[in-house]
Amino acid sequence: MKNPNEDKQIKELLGKSRLEMPFPDFEHDVMMQIEIEESLRNASSSGIAWSWVFFIAGTVFGILLTLMIPQLEISILGMGAGEMNLLFQVGFCLFVLLHLEKLIGLTNSAEFGNRLKRAVFWR
Amino acid sequence: MLESHIQKVLDGEKEAFRFIIRQFQDGAYMLAVSILKEEFAAKDTVQAAFVKTYTRLHTFERKSSFRTWFHRIVVNEAFQLLRSQKRRQKLSFALKADREGISGTVNNIEQKTDDDHLRFYIREAMKELTADEALALQLFYLEEYSIKETGEITGWSESKTKVLLHRARKKLKEILTETYNIKPIESFE
């Protein structure tokens, strides 16, 4: 059975062993670490943003190429323009889908996605 | 006051986070020490916990108090470090040897100890408890969380929390009495 007197004794006893943070620079160290984390996050956010820019530019360029290839009157390894265009389109689609999946995954990652949501919806 | 500082941090005022550090660093340090038994490891853990708190502050949903939410982060960080270090077994062997060495001389002390000595012996006794036992005592008696709140922070069931508290109380009294010759009732005279 619980003894309230015993509880009081233990609480008072443990109270005598209270500790304070013994490192005077602790607050400074934490703020420095936060600065480092923030600059790393900003760098990665910037990298992801540029990745989207180049991805979209590359996709547009790829689409233009698929429109231009049939107009070329050349043959490579016995393949005509039509066959080359088909091969290019298959490769291009696979390339775009794989990279799109990776980019979406990066963008939706917890840190970046929430910051983006805050920037768009809260301000 | 705390709420306004949290909102300032969320609005982008990084320096407002200093208030939160000053407010919670001592309690967090004590929790970390109770688990890790070492001041430098505790300092690193609490530092990591504060950084994590800052980066995840936007996820704080206010379902519990900020103190509970923050202490949960500290406890998780400390146990993560403890698991990765795998020091528990070595530490318990070392402390067992120390305790056997000390008991012969300290048991001869008959007179009442002053506050500094008492503080030292209590801290040494706390180091001999397991991480779970020491943490249970800290959360329940010093941070004054209920059994349920303690379970929310640690992930323990209510029955486990009660068992740990009972075991920890008993063990602490045994250590203080048998090793340091301190009877709890005397310390309050």
Side-chain angles (χ1 to χ4, degrees):
Chain A
M1 202 154 171
K2 213 176 160 201
N3 182 351
N5 230 18
E6 185 191 3
D7 263 2
K8 190 184 166 209
Q9 283 181 357
I10 300 243
K11 187 175 173 178
E12 288 183 22
L13 201 66
L14 288 175
K16 289 178 189 286
S17 69
R18 276 194 188 276
L19 288 169
E20 284 179 357
M21 177 62 74
F23 302 97
D25 293 336
F26 179 76
E27 184 183 314
H28 169 78
D29 290 346
V30 171
M31 294 308 288
M32 284 291 293
Q33 190 59 39
I34 285 171
E35 283 280 348
I36 293 167
E37 291 278 328
E38 281 224 313
S39 56
L40 283 173
R41 257 195 312 159
N42 288 337
S44 75
S45 299
S46 164
I48 289 170
W50 277 111
S51 297
W52 274 108
V53 168
F54 284 111
F55 176 78
I56 291 166
T59 305
V60 168
F61 183 67
I63 292 169
L64 286 173
L65 267 182
T66 58
L67 294 171
M68 282 169 54
I69 286 176
Q71 294 168 22
L72 298 170
E73 288 178 9
I74 53 168
S75 173
I76 296 173
L77 298 172
M79 285 191 294
E83 284 156 334
M84 277 199 309
N85 193 32
L86 185 66
L87 203 64
F88 178 78
Q89 281 175 340
V90 169
F92 175 67
C93 283
L94 278 172
F95 182 81
V96 164
L97 287 170
L98 280 171
H99 275 77
L100 184 64
E101 190 207 355
K102 283 197 170 86
L103 258 183
I104 290 172
L106 268 176
T107 310
N108 282 342
S109 68
E111 298 299 334
F112 183 83
N114 283 323
R115 285 181 63 229
L116 194 61
K117 281 176 207 165
R118 266 193 298 155
V120 171
F121 296 114
W122 293 8
R123 294 190 183 171
Chain B
M1 186 85 153
L2 174 64
E3 196 52 49
S4 66
H5 281 87
I6 290 172
Q7 195 51 52
K8 281 181 186 171
V9 174
L10 288 171
D11 289 340
E13 277 184 51
K14 210 186 314 173
E15 291 299 311
F17 196 69
R18 289 181 186 269
F19 174 85
I20 295 172
I21 296 171
R22 284 172 206 157
Q23 191 85 339
F24 292 100
Q25 62 179 352
D26 292 340
Y29 179 70
M30 267 185 37
L31 289 181
V33 164
S34 69
I35 295 167
L36 297 165
K37 319 294 186 195
E38 193 201 55
E39 57 178 17
F40 291 102
K43 183 220 174 194
D44 289 344
T45 293
V46 176
Q47 185 171 320
F50 271 116
V51 173
K52 198 174 250 187
T53 300
Y54 177 83
T55 57
R56 293 185 184 179
L57 198 58
H58 60 278
T59 68
F60 173 49
E61 291 172 359
R62 293 169 174 82
K63 284 179 187 170
S64 55
S65 70
F66 177 81
R67 193 172 73 114
T68 308
W69 182 73
F70 173 65
H71 282 164
R72 199 179 306 136
I73 295 174
V74 172
V75 165
N76 286 340
E77 285 291 319
F79 274 115
Q80 212 169 331
L81 185 62
L82 190 66
R83 278 191 290 270
S84 69
Q85 285 179 344
K86 296 177 186 173
R87 287 170 70 243
R88 207 182 295 173
Q89 209 168 10
K90 287 183 196 171
L91 194 63
S92 68
F93 283 135
L95 285 171
K96 194 175 174 230
D98 285 347
R99 188 178 160 178
E100 285 164 359
I102 285 169
S103 63
T105 50
V106 173
N107 274 339
N108 293 328
I109 296 171
E110 296 288 341
Q111 67 271 25
K112 203 167 40 173
T113 54
D114 62 22
D115 264 1
D116 283 343
H117 284 118
L118 186 61
R119 206 171 289 129
F120 171 77
Y121 292 134
I122 294 166
R123 287 177 190 164
E124 289 300 303
M126 288 291 286
K127 285 182 191 174
E128 294 194 39
L129 302 178
T130 64
D132 285 358
E133 288 165 353
L135 179 63
L137 288 181
Q138 293 282 357
L139 289 171
F140 188 75
Y141 288 107
L142 288 181
E143 297 297 331
E144 295 181 334
Y145 285 114
S146 65
I147 301 275
K148 189 182 173 199
E149 286 167 334
T150 302
E152 281 172 13
I153 291 170
T154 56
W156 301 331
S157 64
E158 284 194 24
S159 54
K160 182 176 175 178
T161 307
K162 287 176 186 171
V163 165
L164 278 170
L165 280 169
H166 173 74
R167 207 190 297 160
R169 279 193 296 261
K170 192 177 166 204
K171 209 165 157 184
L172 185 67
K173 276 165 65 173
E174 275 171 14
I175 296 168
L176 287 174
T177 313
E178 290 166 21
T179 307
Y180 303 114
N181 202 30
I182 295 167
K183 303 217 173 10
I185 192 96
E186 281 179 1
S187 58
F188 308 121
E189 288 170 8

